[in-house]
């Protein structure tokens, strides 16, 4: 597990996923096989790795990726390093014959992402990309409504993602500074459009076009050591995605917005038969038959309590951590060949959407999204 000292690598992938699977006694498959993940911690800082290793009684750690890749006992290479470092490391892992599972974006550029997908296919190695958002309880509930045919004909999707990421001067920033430097692979488009790609595709349908207005609202920030730096990567993107049958999806992504919402990300789907709004955990719906008839009248105080006019979708199942849910599918895929659609080609298509979004922002025009194949 490379990048295990980082925010995602440590909390979501090591602690909430791999260690959680071990705490429950491993991952049992239908045929009686029990999968027991044995992580090897890989990173740059021996000190940080040692601390994690001691905290969780995980004896295997190294700062030497090639030695870990050279060990035939290690079957899967996982990468949660900062985005720009992913391509060379994953290529080495594939060359060493490892199955690979990687954070999104699958690589920093489309040619790199496609090359990884090709190398994995040609070597017959199992591969996957993190697509955690569709495993979130809120989006599972939204998916349930789609599968039930609740919406009738879907008309539109609107998404609102973001929160204020502190500049780092008078309060420390709550995200790593590389995210705000273009040269380090930062930028909200590359970070979030891969998510929007699979969320839209898996909830509604494939994305056929993108128009994006990407900006850098805050051009200077302060890094982890309190030093000022030029924040030259985009920190907000206002995008319109065209889907099949005239469905339009409009998603705002911003690290320079203050939250007046119930959750940090929210998606609303409106259809002829009903509408729903989903966040990370909750999802509420309003059926056509229960739709009130608001009348525009600024002369009177508002008599409607709009938020109260929606019903919650019940949990109806134990909906756990999304990263872990996807890890379990990937481990089963590696061991038993169970289906796993979130592969490197799917990841490359997310990178494609980010690149086209940035091109759209540069050129000020809507970009078609061509089909990708290997
Ligand atoms: N799926 C999600 O929701 C999600 C959310 C956030 C980030 N991510 C992805 O996870 C990856 C890591 O993001 P993060 O927020 O955990 O970042 P982070 O800065 O917290 O962690 C980066 C990791 O890369 C390692 N690294 C190696 N060389 C480095 C260098 N030169 N500079 C900085 N770090 C270096 C660090 O040691 C650390 O382990 C990124 O690719 C990001 O796109 C995914």
């Amino acid at each position: 597990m490379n990048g295990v000292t980082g925010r995602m690598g440590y909390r979501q992938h090591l602690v909430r996923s791999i260690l959680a699977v071990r705490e429950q006694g491993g991952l049992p498959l239908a045929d009686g096989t029990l999968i027991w993940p044995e992580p090897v911690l890989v990173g740059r800082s021996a000190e940080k790795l040692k601390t994690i290793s001691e905290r969780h009684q995980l004896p295997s750690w190294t700062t030497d990726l090639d030695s870990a890749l050279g060990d035939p006992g290690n079957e899967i290479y996982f990468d949660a390093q900062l985005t720009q470092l992913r391509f060379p490391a994953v290529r080495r892992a594939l060359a060493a014959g490892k199955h690979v599972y990687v954070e999104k974006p699958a690589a920093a550029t489309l040619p790199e992402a496609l090359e990884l997908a090709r190398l994995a296919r040609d070597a017959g190695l199992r591969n996957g990309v993190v697509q955690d958002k569709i495993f979130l309880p809120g989006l599972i509930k939204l998916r349930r409504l789609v599968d039930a045919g609740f919406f009738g004909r879907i008309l539109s999707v609107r998404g609102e993602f973001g929160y204020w990421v502190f500049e780092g001067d008078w309060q420390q920033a709550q995200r790593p500074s590389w995210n705000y430097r273009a040269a380090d692979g930062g930028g909200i488009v590359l970070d979030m459009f891969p998510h929007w790609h699979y969320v839209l595709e898996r909830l509604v349908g494939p994305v056929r076009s993108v128009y994006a207005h990407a900006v850098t609202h805050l051009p200077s920030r302060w890094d982890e050591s309190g030093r000022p730096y030029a924040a030259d990567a985009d920190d907000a993107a206002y995008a319109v995605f065209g889907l099949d049958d005239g469905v339009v999806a409009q998603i705002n992504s911003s690290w320079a917005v203050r939250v007046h919402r119930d959750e940090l990300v929210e998606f609303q789907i409106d259809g002829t038969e009903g509408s729903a709004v989903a966040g990370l955990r909750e999802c509420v719906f309003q059926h056509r038959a229960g739709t009130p008839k608001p009348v525009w009248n600024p002369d009177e105080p508002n008599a409607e309590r709009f938020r109260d006019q929606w019903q919650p979708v019940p949990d109806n199942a134990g909906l756990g951590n999304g990263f872990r849910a996807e890890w379990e599918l990937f481990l089963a895929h590696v061991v038993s060949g169970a289906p796993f659609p979130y592969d490197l080609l799917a990841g490359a298509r997310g990178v494609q959407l980010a690149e086209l979004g940035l091109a759209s922002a540069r050129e000020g025009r809507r970009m078609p999204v061509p089909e990708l194949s290997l």
Side-chain angles (χ1 to χ4, degrees):
M1 297 185 79
N2 196 5
V4 85
T5 55
R7 271 185 340 142
M8 301 309 294
Y10 179 68
R11 178 123 197 91
Q12 297 301 339
H13 294 287
L14 182 67
V15 176
R16 306 290 311 274
S17 299
I18 295 301
L19 296 186
V21 166
R22 287 160 60 103
E23 271 154 32
Q24 69 163 25
L27 176 66
L29 300 184
D31 67 358
T33 308
L34 185 75
I35 301 178
W36 181 258
E38 196 63 69
V40 179
L41 315 178
V42 182
R44 293 171 303 163
S45 156
E47 205 179 315
K48 287 187 189 162
L49 291 169
K50 204 155 161 280
T51 305
I52 297 177
S53 138
E54 282 165 6
R55 186 183 307 146
H56 299 287
Q57 286 95 50
L58 296 168
S60 305
W61 61 268
T62 179
T63 54
D64 180 359
L65 175 61
D66 287 322
S67 78
L69 292 176
D71 181 342
N74 298 331
E75 292 168 75
I76 297 173
Y77 171 73
F78 170 70
D79 191 296
Q81 297 186 95
L82 82 177
T83 304
Q84 276 204 325
L85 301 175
R86 190 157 299 129
F87 172 72
V90 175
R91 201 170 46 175
R92 269 148 78 192
L94 290 168
K98 308 297 176 195
H99 306 297
V100 298
Y101 185 45
V102 305
E103 255 296 356
K104 50 52 59 180
T109 68
L110 179 58
E112 288 179 353
L114 277 174
E115 187 178 331
L116 293 181
R118 274 193 210 107
L119 288 170
R121 180 202 57 189
D122 294 348
L125 293 164
R126 311 239 197 250
N127 56 94
V129 177
V130 173
Q131 299 199 341
D132 54 290
K133 303 292 174 269
I134 40 167
F135 296 91
L136 287 167
L139 270 75
I140 289 175
K141 295 173 188 174
L142 191 58
R143 171 84 234 172
R144 222 186 261 158
L145 294 174
V146 172
D147 291 344
F150 166 77
F151 294 102
R153 182 165 63 83
I154 290 180
L155 308 172
S156 64
V157 181
R158 60 199 68 210
E160 193 68 41
F161 161 81
Y163 47 93
W164 191 265
V165 176
F166 279 93
E167 298 88 330
D169 50 351
W170 66 290
Q171 291 195 51
Q172 207 174 15
Q174 68 272 44
R175 304 188 81 250
S177 59
W178 65 264
N179 284 280
Y180 304 91
R181 287 189 293 263
D184 287 345
I188 203 163
V189 171
L190 185 58
D191 194 51
M192 296 315 293
F193 280 30
H195 287 301
W196 306 153
H197 180 264
Y198 66 77
V199 165
L200 290 172
E201 182 168 277
R202 297 198 183 275
L203 279 175
V204 185
V207 178
R208 304 297 187 191
S209 69
V210 54
Y211 170 76
H213 183 79
V215 289
T216 306
H217 285 309
L218 300 177
S220 40
R221 289 179 171 272
W222 284 257
D223 69 13
E224 287 75 4
S225 6
R227 278 191 297 264
Y229 66 95
D232 55 354
D234 44 287
D235 60 9
Y238 307 87
V240 178
F241 303 99
L243 280 64
D244 284 340
D245 305 319
V247 177
V248 58
Q250 192 245 306
I251 303 184
N252 294 327
S253 318
S254 178
W255 288 317
V257 65
R258 296 183 176 89
V259 180
H260 186 70
R261 263 174 265 139
D262 293 329
E263 305 207 48
L264 295 192
V265 66
E266 281 185 351
F267 296 98
Q268 173 161 346
I269 297 185
D270 287 290
T272 52
E273 297 298 308
S275 299
V277 180
L280 302 176
R281 302 200 62 83
E282 307 300 331
C283 179
V284 294
F285 66 97
Q286 185 174 89
H287 187 255
R288 176 172 188 249
T291 304
K293 192 188 281 182
V295 176
W296 181 265
N297 184 359
D299 300 329
E300 297 288 333
N302 181 23
E304 305 258 16
R305 295 174 64 85
F306 295 113
R307 283 186 197 274
D308 295 346
Q309 295 162 352
W310 298 72
Q311 260 180 281
V313 178
D315 283 355
N316 281 4
L319 302 175
N321 181 286
F323 290 89
R324 174 179 169 178
E326 194 181 349
W327 259 109
E328 291 188 352
L329 291 177
F330 184 70
L331 292 174
H333 173 60
V334 168
V335 173
S336 73
F340 189 83
Y342 323 105
D343 60 9
L344 281 171
L345 178 58
R349 292 165 59 235
V351 176
Q352 177 195 33
L353 189 66
E355 285 197 347
L356 289 170
L358 288 169
S360 163
R362 269 193 315 271
E363 297 173 24
R365 65 186 177 95
R366 187 161 67 116
M367 311 295 283
V369 179
E371 292 281 351
L372 268 192
S373 58
L374 288 181

